[in-house]
Structures are given as structure tokens and as C-alpha cells.
Amino acid sequence: MAGLYRYRLGDVVKVAGFHNSTPELRFICRRNLMLTINIDKNTEKDLQLAVEEAEKLISAVKLEIHDFTSHVDLSTDPGHYVIFLEFNGEPAEDVLQECCNCLDKSFVDAGYVSSRKVKMIGPLEVRVVQIGTFQKIIDHYVGLGAAVSQFKTPRLVGPINSGVFQILCSNVVKSYFSTANEE
């Protein structure tokens, strides 16, 4: 079990096979990483798939999403998802609005879709952060004693990540609300 003792608790893994008698693990998702406001349940994988769809739009204009994370904002009524995105350049306003709408439409969980339709969940918000913001998050964790080699960007920033949330919010340069699903 050399190395496995350092495996981060909270990961959901699947034994994909064996090499001799050693299990080969495949990462599935992070336990307790669930975007949820009402009856919606979107996992880290759902978030990753939504961001991958948005990346297709961004790559069409020769840019990339450098990194991302999410937050459930319950300070508004109704609550809504917030996706923080860092790009390697500056996409045009219309591309960012389209990216925001794409993210919103990419969450296909039945609870999310129905809650958006009846306005129990507000429009998804994209907050664009300045270049270097996610490096500041790494620096924050390293300052707390984390090893850079073991760092993984938190995909959901909740109340226990208040320092990270503060870094994100203080580096927002633009904000967009989805106009998708607004029949």
C-alpha cells in the first residue's frame, strides 16, 4: 500500500482492476461535492462536463479556460450557482454571455432543470476572475502548509473555504447571469 496512505480522504474511487494483488483505483468524484439548492443534485462530474461544453465555445475563439471552481450562492432568493472562471486571455462580452448560457443549459439533472423552470433556482452566474487568481489560491494553501504537489483546486467553494472565497471575490473582473431557460 505504499503511497495509498497519502490518498486524500473524501474521494470516491472504483477498483478498476488489479495489478498482481494490488488494486488499480479509478477516481470517480469527490464525496460531499454536490451543487444543490432545492431538489437539484449536480456532482463534480456534472460540473466538469458543463465546463467542457463551455470550453468548446471558448476554444472556437482561440482561448482556454485556465481553471474553474463553483459556489452555491444562497444570499439571493432564489439561490443560484456561481461558476468562477479564469481564462488565458480576454473573451468578448458576447462570447462570455454565450458561455454563461451554455453552462446553465449543460446542467441536465432533472431537479435542476425543473427548479430553474419554476424559478426555485435563479439564473446561473459566471464570475470571470483576473489571470493569476488560481495561483493566489495555490499560494494560500501552501501558506497553510499544503504541498504544491498534492494540491487540487477545490471544485466547490463552500463555507469551510472562506479564505478561498474571499480571494475569488476580490479578483472578479466581470459577472454574467444566464438568460437561458428563461421562457
Side-chain angles (χ1 to χ4, degrees):
M1 268 218 244
L4 191 57
Y5 70 94
R6 294 181 353 176
Y7 200 75
R8 183 174 176 166
L9 297 176
D11 287 347
V12 177
V13 296
K14 180 179 184 176
V15 177
F18 290 88
H19 178 75
N20 296 326
S21 61
T22 304
E24 294 177 354
L25 303 178
R26 183 167 55 93
F27 175 79
I28 303 297
C29 64
R30 173 102 47 236
R31 185 179 58 202
N32 297 331
L33 188 134
M34 188 76 64
L35 291 169
T36 184
I37 294 172
N38 188 25
I39 59 170
D40 54 309
K41 290 184 178 22
N42 283 295
T43 64
E44 180 177 8
K45 184 160 181 76
D46 296 324
L47 174 62
Q48 180 69 44
L49 291 171
V51 170
E52 286 171 8
E53 284 301 309
E55 277 183 318
K56 292 175 186 174
L57 293 172
I58 298 303
S59 66
V61 294
K62 309 286 189 256
L63 291 172
E64 295 176 1
I65 295 173
H66 178 259
D67 211 342
F68 68 94
T69 192
S70 64
H71 173 71
V72 172
D73 186 346
L74 299 175
S75 69
T76 60
D77 188 24
H80 66 284
Y81 294 0
V82 177
I83 311 295
F84 292 91
L85 298 175
E86 180 179 320
F87 296 95
N88 67 339
E90 291 189 36
E93 299 283 324
D94 61 326
V95 172
L96 289 169
Q97 184 62 58
E98 192 177 348
C99 177
C100 183
N101 291 345
C102 176
L103 283 163
D104 198 8
K105 291 187 284 189
S106 294
F107 286 107
V108 295
D109 169 71
Y112 180 79
V113 173
S114 63
S115 293
R116 283 283 286 122
K117 280 186 180 167
V118 298
K119 301 188 182 336
M120 294 298 291
I121 296 178
L124 181 139
E125 180 183 4
V126 165
R127 295 183 191 172
V128 179
V129 295
Q130 64 186 356
I131 294 172
T133 299
F134 282 87
Q135 182 59 49
K136 290 177 184 177
I137 292 170
I138 293 171
D139 296 344
H140 168 76
Y141 278 109
V142 169
L144 295 175
V148 174
S149 62
Q150 297 291 315
F151 179 77
K152 182 178 176 190
T153 301
R155 294 300 178 208
L156 174 63
V157 177
I160 61 166
N161 305 90
S162 61
V164 173
F165 187 64
Q166 190 173 14
I167 292 167
L168 289 163
C169 290
S170 66
N171 285 279
V172 171
V173 292
K174 294 180 181 176
S175 181
Y176 299 84
F177 284 90
S178 173
T179 55
N181 304 317
E182 297 293 318
E183 300 88 49

